[in-house]
Amino acid sequence: QNLIESAFPNELNGLFKNLENKGNPWGMAARARLDWAKDLPFPVKILGQDVDSADDVDYLFSVGCAGALDDKAQRTSRAVAQLLHDAGVSFMVLGEAETCTGDPARRLGHEFLFQMLAKQNVETLNAAGARTIVATCAHCFNTLGNEYPQLGGHYEVVHHTQLLAK
């Protein structure tokens, strides 16, 4: 119904608009995507600022929308970053270049918006040379690993719990 008739609950208008215009469900500015890392006792490498490509690190850390923008989920992002750092694992983030994987749009039936966000992300990830991605968000983990290959995004995606156990 959403795709063919644009028939969806009015409550979703704001979510879809935020995903389309700001790249996250809450409509927050891209510059807020790095707030989670402000208090860490070490610098987090950012693509384009500290590293030129994923070849310079072991992993691309996909922080996700919640991990970057939700106060409670930010604690998980900080903890994972700290554990990776302590383990000597080099990683980078996309920072302001990271946007929603599009999972909420697809699950709610807005396939066009999913395709738009996913294609943009695949272009960004491929340009960055991403090969191995660590994700904390189960939705991002699934979308990056199982849905992006259809769009040319072929990555090894590891959940943070798998990587930390290893």
Side-chain angles (χ1 to χ4, degrees):
Q1 282 185 316
N2 186 6
L3 185 61
I4 296 169
E5 301 174 17
S6 291
F8 50 86
N10 288 334
E11 293 83 5
L12 296 179
N13 284 329
L15 170 73
F16 292 151
K17 188 174 188 171
N18 289 340
L19 287 172
E20 185 175 355
N21 296 327
K22 298 290 185 171
N24 66 78
W26 298 281
M28 296 176 72
R31 68 181 174 277
R33 279 204 174 261
L34 289 166
D35 288 352
W36 66 272
K38 283 183 180 176
D39 297 331
L40 290 173
F42 58 90
V44 172
K45 295 177 184 172
I46 304 166
L47 177 70
Q49 293 179 26
D50 305 302
V51 292
D52 293 325
S53 80
D55 292 332
D56 300 331
V57 294
D58 298 323
Y59 293 92
L60 168 66
F61 180 15
S62 173
V63 181
C65 295
L69 303 169
D70 178 76
D71 291 338
K72 290 181 182 178
Q74 286 177 345
R75 291 186 297 199
T76 301
S77 298
R78 283 192 289 276
V80 169
Q82 183 70 58
L83 289 168
L84 293 174
H85 175 76
D86 291 350
V89 176
S90 65
F91 67 94
M92 70 174 194
V93 297
L94 295 176
E96 292 183 22
E98 184 175 357
T99 62
C100 182
T101 61
D103 177 77
R106 179 168 258 188
R107 301 297 159 246
L108 293 168
H110 199 324
E111 184 65 18
F112 177 78
L113 181 55
F114 166 77
Q115 292 285 330
M116 183 182 80
L117 291 166
K119 286 176 183 176
Q120 175 186 341
N121 283 326
V122 167
E123 285 179 22
T124 300
L125 292 167
N126 288 347
R131 290 183 314 278
T132 309
I133 301 171
V134 61
T136 56
C137 171
H139 301 280
C140 296
F141 173 77
N142 177 64
T143 303
L144 291 165
N146 297 320
E147 298 180 10
Y148 277 22
Q150 313 163 20
L151 303 168
H154 301 278
Y155 320 106
E156 176 188 356
V157 184
V158 180
H159 194 265
H160 74 282
T161 57
Q162 295 170 308
L163 179 60
L164 293 171
K166 181 179 164 185

